[in-house]
Amino acid sequence: MFEIAEPNLLPVAQAKAGDDGAWDMLLRHFRMPLYIYIFQWVRNEQTSFDLVQETMLSAIRHIDGIQDEGKFGPWLFGIAHQKCIQYWRKQNREDDALQEFAEAPSDYEEDPRQTLIRREKEAQFLRLLEDLPLSQRSVLVLYYIEEFSLEEIASITGTALGTIKSRLYYARKAFRDLWEKESK
């Protein structure tokens, strides 16, 4: 869905050196993937935007702590993951679970029938995704949408690799069961 540039093409070293243009590029590059990931946790458009901003500000403050510049993406998503956990410690789940996902506008023209079919499938996917436990939903988003490796997901979430593999296995199975049930 979203492409994350090859780690060696990201201007992490320049950002580390304080280059504002590099930070702008990193923000543009990661803003939407971070938003989608965070939104899966908080279910509130404005809160998601706020947490993306907090994540980037935290990254700016702590960029010197990153050891491997090639791991900037997982490091950044790890910060976002911690921001989501902090948010949930402060909030009541039921209040934010009622918010709808705001669709990003399309940048290109397409056949209206195709747009309708695509939107229906996206809505079905998101609806079914919401039926999964947060831990399973999170690993599916990170693995299939953000295309992080299992090792990177373990690092982002601070969870053992075996646990991530297990969650992915059960998330796939649960999602498949939901999809088949709804398709009948």
Side-chain angles (χ1 to χ4, degrees), residues 76-93:
L76 186 63
F77 272 79
I79 293 172
H81 186 82
Q82 291 306 312
K83 295 289 180 189
C84 291
I85 289 171
Q86 291 168 3
Y87 170 81
W88 275 112
R89 286 182 179 149
K90 296 177 187 173
Q91 300 298 315
N92 180 343
R93 287 181 182 243

Side-chain angles (χ1 to χ4, degrees), residues 34 37-38 41-42 51-52 54-55 58-59 62 74-90 138 142 152-159 167:
L34 282 171
Y37 177 69
I38 291 170
W41 280 77
V42 301
L51 290 175
V52 167
E54 286 181 30
T55 298
S58 185
H62 301 290
W75 177 77
L76 186 63
F77 272 79
I79 293 172
H81 186 82
Q82 291 306 312
K83 295 289 180 189
C84 291
I85 289 171
Q86 291 168 3
Y87 170 81
W88 275 112
R89 286 182 179 149
K90 296 177 187 173
S138 178
L142 288 171
E152 290 170 327
I153 296 169
S155 175
I156 289 168
T157 61
T159 306
R167 285 181 186 168

Side-chain angles (χ1 to χ4, degrees), residues 21-63:
W23 278 112
D24 288 342
M25 180 182 272
L26 290 170
L27 175 60
R28 280 193 315 272
H29 188 77
F30 285 102
R31 180 178 40 219
M32 188 55 71
L34 282 171
Y35 172 81
I36 290 171
Y37 177 69
I38 291 170
F39 188 86
Q40 291 299 315
W41 280 77
V42 301
R43 297 287 187 229
N44 181 288
E45 183 178 344
Q46 187 58 50
T47 301
S48 297
F49 284 124
D50 293 345
L51 290 175
V52 167
Q53 184 175 2
E54 286 181 30
T55 298
M56 291 306 290
L57 289 173
S58 185
I60 291 168
R61 282 193 299 273
H62 301 290
I63 187 72

Side-chain angles (χ1 to χ4, degrees), residues 85-116:
I85 289 171
Q86 291 168 3
Y87 170 81
W88 275 112
R89 286 182 179 149
K90 296 177 187 173
Q91 300 298 315
N92 180 343
R93 287 181 182 243
E94 288 75 25
D95 292 342
D96 291 322
L98 300 175
Q99 297 298 321
E100 285 186 25
F101 178 71
E103 291 185 28
S106 176
D107 291 338
Y108 58 93
E109 294 292 323
E110 66 179 304
D111 177 22
R113 291 175 296 211
Q114 293 300 319
T115 301
L116 182 60

